[in-house]
Amino acid sequence: IGERIGKTPPELTLRVVSLLAALGLPVDLAREPLGAAIALLGHDKKRAGGSIRFVAACEPGRAELVDLPLEELARLVAAIGAGPGHFW
C-alpha cells in the first residue's frame, strides 16, 4: 500500500518481501484475508473518523504516518487481491 500511494520505493518493497520470504513468512497478499482485515479496521484505535492512520516505509529506518480514508484503503486492498499471483 505504501508503494501504491507513492511513499515506499519499489526497491524497498522488493527488499522487504525478500527478507520476509527468507524467514518463511507469508508474502503473497492475494492469499491473505485482506477483505476481513479491512472490515476490522473500522474498530481500530488508529481510526479517526473515516480515516485510518497508516504507517508507510519511506526508506530503511524511516517511516511516515499517512491518514488514509477507509474507502481508499479498501480500494487499494481490493486492487492487491484482484491480480493473479501476488502484488509484488
Side-chain angles (χ1 to χ4, degrees):
I1 291 172
E3 186 177 326
R4 291 205 174 196
I5 63 172
K7 299 292 182 181
T8 304
E11 313 79 57
L12 182 56
T13 301
L14 291 173
R15 182 176 175 194
V16 170
V17 169
S18 294
L19 291 169
L20 292 173
L23 293 170
L25 296 171
V27 294
D28 186 350
L29 294 180
R31 298 184 69 176
E32 300 300 321
L34 298 179
I38 290 297
L40 294 174
L41 284 176
H43 305 291
D44 192 279
K45 65 182 177 184
K46 293 179 291 300
R47 180 178 175 201
S51 294
I52 188 84
R53 181 145 296 166
F54 179 79
V55 179
C58 300
E59 60 186 56
R62 189 174 76 81
E64 187 176 311
L65 295 177
V66 179
D67 289 328
L68 280 176
L70 289 171
E71 296 82 20
E72 174 70 4
L73 184 58
R75 185 187 68 74
L76 290 166
V77 167
I80 290 168
H86 49 74
F87 171 57
W88 327 115

